């Protein structure tokens, strides 16, 4: 929830839980701090909720005048001085529902192995009169959740805002101050359809480049002090409006924590299916000058023997995959990567000098072969079945099947997939996202990838869709069903069934 950013004193949130009939759930009312450093946003945790049950949450905020004797009082001590939160339920019930009430349905019991969810990426805000067009697709997504009980959650995998509406080199319509980033988020998240959707649907988010600026890499901070300030401002806004409300379960050294971790990446489970949501943007290190691909790292530097207590994100991801294969066997394991894993662009395919340079400049996994190789070697050596990458970014939805082949002994029985969903709204299809600009068959177009000295990764991509769209995923038994929908909620093409190992 979010309080008034204009309030001069301390802002405290109040929240209470109600059942589907509108009855207050006893002892659920509570206070929560709305911190200035998170732009007066906050989080409340309700526990002991029943599975597959609909609840509503009423929220409000109150401002406490700061006095000299309260200036150094800790939050916990301050809350003890307030009346019991239940005393304010009557006041909560008087607030405007559209501004203060959210509904939610808890996940099913993990004994049910089916799962359905929607995901997508890239919501360009629209200029002037086009702002309503940017919001239209979220009304269609909301209708899907309202009419179909099977859907569990929404994944938004990057570019929820465009800090640089026109171009990162053009100051016009470019956010670079706290107030400008604040305006971007408030405008994006409070548009009518988006607001209704987020009030009623569990939503997981992760950033990509346009939450900062186009094609962001970490090295820009080292070369330009203004870029360091831009990054700090952008990430502060991201943490307030996206990160704060998602799971935060990895600590400063990559250790798993129950809550309040400080990493941007996180993991969660739904109906027994695991998801690892990557931060594929803020830790990327790229050699922009010498075009040495081996010097590029997508998920930060990997671990070193001399510092065994510190792990890079790639090491944490690989360890997570190994533990999930041991825990759930061949059930799908979802890796949420805003940057596309495959297919690569046709300009990056091949081994000549021009292709190498294009590959090094690329914004996808193609530019980071060492990170990709470490992940694929883990999949092959650990015999990890049914890894499914969920990606966005490229303004062209598609599906790719990944295979692994021994150079001497034929194809391995491993199966992996990449499903890309993009864009929610992008008005200039002529500018990028052309389906013909991607490799469709890596074997035919010279884009296979050496996992190690004996194993090659290949892929075939199909089902390209360039119109504004979102993607529904249904898992049942040994199949994943993929269906794209247009901005009006109508099916684009036929359902695609992916057979699992």
């Amino acid at each position: 929830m979010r309080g008034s950013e204009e309030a001069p004193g301390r802002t405290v949130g109040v929240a209470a839980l109600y059942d589907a009939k509108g009855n207050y759930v006893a002892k659920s009312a509570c206070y929560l701090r709305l911190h200035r450093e998170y732009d007066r946003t906050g989080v409340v945790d309700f526990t002991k909720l029943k599975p597959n049950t609909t609840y509503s949450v009423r929220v409000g905020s109150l401002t406490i005048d700061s006095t000299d004797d309260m200036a150094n009082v800790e939050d916990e001590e301050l809350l003890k001085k307030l009346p019991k939160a239940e005393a304010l339920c009557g006041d909560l019930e008087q607030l405007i529902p559209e501004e203060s009430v959210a509904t939610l349905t808890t996940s099913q019991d993990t004994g049910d192995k089916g799962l359905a969810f929607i995901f997508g990426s890239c919501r360009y805000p629209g200029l002037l009169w086009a702002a309503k067009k940017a919001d239209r697709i979220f009304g269609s997504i909301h209708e899907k959740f309202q009419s179909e009980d099977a859907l569990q959650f929404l994944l938004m995998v990057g570019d929820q805002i465009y800090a640089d509406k026109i171009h990162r080199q053009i100051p016009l319509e470019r956010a670079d101050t706290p107030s400008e980033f604040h305006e971007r988020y408030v405008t994006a998240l409070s548009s009518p359809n988006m607001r209704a959707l987020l009030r009623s649907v569990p939503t997981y988010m992760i950033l990509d480049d346009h939450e900062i600026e186009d094609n962001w890499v970490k090295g820009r901070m080292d070369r330009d002090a203004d870029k360091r300030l831009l990054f700090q401002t952008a990430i502060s806004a991201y943490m307030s409006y996206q990160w704060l409300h998602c799971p935060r379960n990895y600590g400063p050294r990559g250790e798993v924590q129950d809550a309040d971790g400080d990493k941007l990446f996180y993991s969660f489970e739904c109906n027994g299916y695991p998801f690892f949501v990557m931060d594929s943007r803020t830790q990327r290190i790229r050699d922009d000058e010498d075009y040495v691909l081996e010097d590029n790292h997508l998920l930060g530097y990997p671990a070193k023997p001399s510092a065994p207590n510190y792990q890079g994100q790639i090491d944490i991801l690989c360890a997570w995959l190994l533990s999930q294969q041991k825990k759930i066997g061949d059930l799908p394991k979802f890796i949420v990567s805003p940057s596309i894993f495959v297919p690569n662009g046709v300009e990056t395919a091949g081994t000549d000098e021009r292709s190498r340079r294009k590959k090094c400049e690329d914004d996808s996994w193609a530019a980071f072969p060492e990170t990709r190789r470490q992940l694929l070697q883990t999949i092959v050596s650990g015999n990890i079945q049914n890894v499914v990458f969920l990606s966005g970014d490229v303004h062209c939805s598609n599906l790719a099947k990944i295979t692994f082949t021994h150079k001497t002994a034929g194809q391995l029985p491993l199966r992996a997939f990449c499903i890309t969903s993009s864009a929610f709204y992008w008005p200039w299809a002529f500018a990028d996202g052309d389906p013909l600009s991607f490799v469709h068959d890596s074997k035919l177009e010279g884009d296979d990838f050496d996992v190690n000295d004996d194993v090659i990764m290949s892929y075939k991509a199909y089902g390209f869709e360039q119109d504004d769209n979102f993607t529904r995923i249904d898992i049942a038994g040994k199949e994943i069903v993929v269906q794209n929908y247009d901005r009006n909620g109508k099916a684009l093409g036929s359902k695609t069934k992916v057979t699992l190992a």
Side-chain angles (χ1 to χ4, degrees):
M1 67 174 293
R2 179 172 174 270
S4 171
E5 69 277 4
E6 302 297 332
R10 296 201 193 190
T11 305
V12 177
V14 187
L17 192 67
Y18 294 76
D19 64 22
K21 295 181 179 180
N23 300 314
Y24 170 66
V25 176
K27 298 182 180 180
S28 66
C30 59
Y31 291 110
L32 63 148
R33 275 298 309 276
L34 304 179
H35 295 274
R36 280 193 181 94
E37 60 267 35
Y38 293 128
D39 207 0
R40 302 288 194 184
T41 60
V43 175
V44 59
D45 291 323
F46 292 110
T47 60
K48 298 181 180 179
L49 302 183
K50 298 177 182 178
N52 199 28
T53 301
T54 298
Y55 296 93
S56 63
V57 181
R58 292 182 177 271
V59 296
S61 64
L62 56 93
T63 301
I64 304 171
D65 292 334
S66 293
T67 59
D68 292 339
D69 62 333
M70 291 172 55
N72 297 317
V73 175
E74 295 294 333
D75 294 346
E76 293 75 12
E77 291 300 316
L78 174 65
L79 295 181
K80 290 178 182 179
K81 299 177 182 294
L82 299 176
K84 290 186 177 180
E86 287 188 336
L88 299 177
C89 286
D91 297 291
L92 290 176
E93 292 163 10
Q94 298 301 313
L95 298 176
I96 300 172
E98 290 76 16
E99 297 179 356
S100 62
V101 179
T103 60
L104 63 97
T105 301
T106 55
S107 299
Q108 301 173 14
D109 191 285
T110 55
D112 183 352
K113 293 301 182 182
L115 179 64
F117 62 93
I118 286 173
F119 87 104
S121 68
C122 305
R123 185 265 188 102
Y124 188 77
L127 298 172
L128 301 175
W129 61 88
K132 289 185 178 180
K133 291 183 179 179
D135 189 45
R136 182 187 304 171
I137 198 167
F138 300 107
S140 300
I141 295 173
H142 188 220
E143 289 175 4
K144 293 290 183 188
F145 278 94
Q146 294 296 102
S147 61
E148 301 181 32
D149 293 338
L151 287 167
Q152 295 286 298
F153 60 85
L154 170 67
L155 264 173
M156 302 180 74
V157 298
D159 297 342
Q160 278 69 256
I161 66 163
Y162 276 65
D164 46 354
K165 286 186 182 179
I166 298 176
H167 192 277
R168 65 183 174 91
Q169 302 291 1
I170 301 175
L172 182 66
E173 295 288 349
R174 186 184 67 195
D176 53 17
T177 67
S179 62
E180 289 168 343
F181 274 98
H182 164 85
E183 182 275 329
R184 287 286 197 278
Y185 276 105
V186 171
T187 299
L189 302 182
S190 63
S191 60
N193 290 327
M194 174 69 88
R195 184 169 187 162
L197 177 64
L198 297 181
R199 284 174 53 225
S200 61
V201 174
T203 304
Y204 297 91
M205 299 180 179
I206 190 64
L207 83 166
D208 200 19
D209 55 340
H210 288 289
E211 274 88 354
I212 310 168
E213 70 174 17
D214 188 33
N215 292 347
W216 176 263
V217 292
K218 192 175 181 181
R220 289 181 191 171
M221 291 193 295
D222 299 328
R223 297 188 295 268
D224 189 333
D226 289 340
K227 294 299 183 184
R228 178 174 291 274
L229 179 60
L230 172 68
F231 177 79
Q232 293 169 344
T233 303
I235 291 301
S236 177
Y238 167 75
M239 294 176 76
S240 297
Y241 289 95
Q242 297 192 59
W243 173 84
L244 188 66
H245 309 286
C246 290
R248 289 173 284 144
N249 47 12
Y250 288 94
R253 297 185 179 184
E255 70 274 21
V256 179
Q257 298 184 334
D258 292 333
D260 298 326
D262 64 352
K263 300 299 184 183
L264 300 188
F265 57 87
Y266 59 90
S267 59
F268 69 95
E269 290 187 7
C270 187
N271 288 13
Y273 294 94
F275 292 75
F276 189 101
V277 183
M278 290 174 29
D279 167 19
S280 63
R281 182 56 58 180
T282 71
Q283 296 183 319
R284 58 173 61 196
I285 301 154
R286 178 157 58 192
D287 188 333
D288 290 326
E289 297 181 1
D290 296 328
Y291 299 96
V292 181
L293 286 162
E294 288 74 16
D295 287 349
N296 295 348
H297 299 276
L298 181 65
L299 305 179
Y301 290 111
K304 297 180 179 180
S306 57
N309 292 329
Y310 291 88
Q311 289 185 309
Q313 186 184 170
I314 180 59
D315 306 300
I316 296 166
L317 172 58
C318 289
W320 179 86
L321 276 175
L322 290 167
S323 68
Q324 293 301 326
Q325 181 65 32
K326 183 178 180 180
K327 178 181 176 182
I328 64 173
D330 292 347
L331 285 177
K333 302 144 195 78
F334 292 93
I335 297 176
V336 180
S337 169
S339 300
I340 190 169
F341 192 77
V342 292
N344 299 328
V346 294
E347 291 187 333
T348 70
T351 57
D352 59 88
E353 178 68 14
R354 181 180 180 278
S355 297
R356 186 178 62 82
R357 283 179 171 267
K358 287 291 185 181
K359 192 172 293 178
C360 197
E361 295 168 353
D362 199 67
D363 208 36
S364 69
W365 282 75
F368 304 90
E370 292 306 303
T371 309
R372 175 186 273 184
R373 185 168 288 111
Q374 182 175 345
L375 178 58
L376 292 176
Q377 287 176 349
T378 299
I379 291 173
V380 171
S381 63
N383 196 32
I384 300 172
Q385 282 285 12
N386 299 321
V387 174
V388 182
F389 295 91
L390 302 175
S391 298
D393 185 48
V394 295
H395 303 165
C396 187
S397 294
N398 63 82
L399 173 63
K401 181 179 180 181
I402 300 169
T403 56
F404 301 89
T405 305
H406 278 297
K407 295 179 181 179
T408 56
Q411 187 166 311
L412 280 72
L414 289 174
R415 296 186 185 183
F417 310 90
C418 184
I419 306 170
T420 300
S421 184
S422 179
F424 286 132
Y425 177 65
W426 179 247
W428 298 299
F430 57 83
D432 56 17
D434 182 356
L436 297 181
S437 68
F438 297 96
V439 172
H440 290 211
D441 188 328
S442 67
K443 287 183 178 293
L444 296 178
E445 300 177 59
D447 201 42
D448 285 352
F449 183 80
D450 287 337
V451 177
N452 55 39
D453 291 339
D454 187 43
V455 177
I456 297 171
M457 180 200 78
S458 306
Y459 64 86
K460 289 185 178 181
Y462 52 96
F464 290 85
E465 184 53 64
Q466 198 178 12
D467 289 344
D468 294 347
N469 67 96
F470 61 91
T471 303
R472 173 172 174 157
I473 305 293
D474 286 85
I475 311 169
K478 287 287 187 178
E479 284 187 338
I480 296 179
V481 180
V482 182
Q483 177 68 67
N484 294 329
Y485 294 89
D486 69 11
R487 65 179 67 89
N488 297 313
K490 295 182 179 180
L492 288 167
S494 58
K495 295 180 179 179
T496 301
K497 295 183 179 180
V498 173
T499 303
L500 301 170

